[in-house]
Amino acid sequence: MSTNSLEVTMERDTHRVIGPDGKLLTLDDLPPPETKRWVARRKAEVVAAVRAQLLTLEEACKRYNLSTEEFVGWEAAIDKHGLGGLRVTRIQDFR
């Protein structure tokens, strides 16, 4: 799977989300709500979960104490630069 996209597939009434590491992602696999250190993989997991409707944008922002703008920024970084765009040390390279 390409690191430039997150795959979301749906079958019948069950959501199947493939996370950034290529493995099935469920709510139990998401980062814990008290997460403080946001590495690229964790951000990508949350974005994939919202896109697949495992949780809503509002639920994700409340669960992780994120602003809508921060989450939308994560989405934009993935869409434009792939998983590498989420790395804090790489932000200057992508501007």
Side-chain angles (χ1 to χ4, degrees), residues 7 9 15 26 30 38 46-47 50-52 60 63-64 68 75-76 86 92 95:
E7 180 181 333
T9 59
H15 291 103
T26 67
L30 292 177
W38 283 101
V46 174
V47 170
V50 171
R51 287 182 172 177
R63 178 177 177 153
Y64 296 112
T68 302
E75 280 190 307
L86 292 173
Q92 292 299 323
R95 288 193 176 166

Side-chain angles (χ1 to χ4, degrees), residues 5-71:
S5 65
L6 298 176
E7 180 181 333
V8 176
T9 59
M10 298 172 73
E11 291 182 359
R12 296 184 222 166
D13 294 329
T14 306
H15 291 103
R16 290 183 57 223
V17 181
I18 306 301
D21 59 359
K23 296 179 183 173
L24 188 63
L25 183 64
T26 67
L27 282 175
D28 291 337
D29 300 316
L30 292 177
E34 63 276 0
T35 298
K36 300 291 182 219
R37 187 169 179 267
W38 283 101
V39 296
R41 177 189 48 81
R42 290 180 183 153
K43 294 175 187 178
E45 288 172 345
V46 174
V47 170
V50 171
R51 287 182 172 177
Q53 301 173 351
L54 286 178
L55 70 165
T56 66
L57 172 60
E58 293 79 19
E59 290 169 335
C61 289
K62 183 176 180 179
R63 178 177 177 153
Y64 296 112
N65 196 29
L66 303 171
S67 68
T68 302
E69 293 78 15
E70 185 172 16
F71 180 86

